[in-house]
Amino acid sequence: MFKKILVALNKSDISLQALEEAIALAQATNAQLKLVHVLDDRDPDQPAFPYPVDYQAYSAANVEILDQYQKDYQAFVDNSWKWLSWHANRATEFGIHTEYDQFKGNAGKHICATAKAWDADVIMIGSRCLTGLKELFWGSVSNYVAHHAACSVCVMHPQLLQKQESGQPTDQPTDQALTAKTALPVS
């Protein structure tokens, strides 16, 4: 039975769907949640780093630009903490003991390390379903986590989410079958 569920969050719809599924699973199994968010350079809300035009001729202007960037970046970090805290508070409102943490750096490594340190039973994570060159250049956090985590990993796929929302039949097993299947010990 799952007692500790780590949810890897970013600001995508599929990530938030993974959180919804984790909340439902935590309620059903009386599990704890830990939400993990890793600041990502690809986040559209993150301010772009300004590159100085000329180090000598515009040094005073560059200092002002860099100071403004630091303020904007700190606001981005603070807003990300607020966003994460809001989701943790929402899970807590369902009666679920919920912790949360935020990191900067390699998302896959932080997620796996946190899951191991927290002794998570399962990681729930969304997938962008990148393939080919996109996966090569952008990397796949869910793929990394699935291959490096010290616990079970449940990967949510956008195609499944779209089928569920539209009411289309899926080739996926029912929720009851998934619960029975994932509750089995992993060897």
Side-chain angles (χ1 to χ4, degrees):
M1 198 60 70
F2 298 129
K3 292 296 175 193
K4 289 186 163 188
I5 303 168
L6 185 139
V7 185
L9 286 177
N10 60 27
K11 296 175 183 169
S12 68
D13 290 342
I14 193 64
S15 171
L16 297 177
Q17 179 64 30
L19 175 59
E20 295 300 318
E21 296 295 329
I23 288 171
L25 183 58
Q27 286 181 307
T29 62
N30 198 29
Q32 299 176 36
L33 290 181
K34 181 157 188 138
L35 312 184
V36 174
H37 177 247
V38 181
L39 297 172
D40 187 350
D41 292 337
R42 295 169 287 193
D43 188 319
D45 296 333
Q46 180 173 329
F49 184 80
Y51 291 97
V53 181
D54 182 355
Y55 290 104
Q56 295 174 352
Y58 298 101
S59 61
N62 285 337
V63 169
E64 284 183 38
I65 290 170
L66 290 175
D67 285 346
Q68 185 60 49
Y69 168 76
Q70 288 177 333
K71 290 175 187 172
D72 293 344
Y73 186 80
Q74 189 57 52
F76 164 72
V77 170
D78 294 343
N79 286 334
S80 293
W81 273 112
K82 288 176 188 173
W83 175 84
L84 186 59
S85 174
W86 185 88
H87 285 290
N89 290 335
R90 191 172 150 272
T92 302
E93 290 173 0
F94 285 99
I96 302 166
H97 174 81
T98 307
E99 303 173 26
Y100 59 98
D101 211 345
Q102 179 169 269
F103 302 96
K104 178 162 177 51
N106 184 301
K109 288 182 180 180
H110 280 295
I111 292 164
C112 290
T114 303
K116 187 173 184 174
W118 190 59
D119 199 24
D121 298 309
V122 64
I123 298 169
M124 298 193 74
I125 187 169
S127 172
R128 295 178 293 169
C129 295
L130 299 178
T131 58
L133 289 175
K134 285 183 180 179
E135 183 178 12
L136 179 66
F137 288 113
W138 287 91
S140 171
V141 175
S142 60
N143 186 33
Y144 179 92
V145 170
H147 285 90
H148 293 89
C151 63
S152 297
V153 177
C154 178
V155 180
M156 299 292 296
H157 291 276
Q159 294 89 345
L160 178 59
L161 175 62
Q162 290 168 354
K163 286 181 182 180
Q164 287 173 341
E165 288 176 350
S166 69
Q168 294 178 3
T170 66
D171 297 335
Q172 303 297 320
T174 65
D175 288 341
Q176 291 173 340
L178 280 174
T179 302
K181 186 176 181 180
T182 57
L184 297 174
V186 178
S187 53

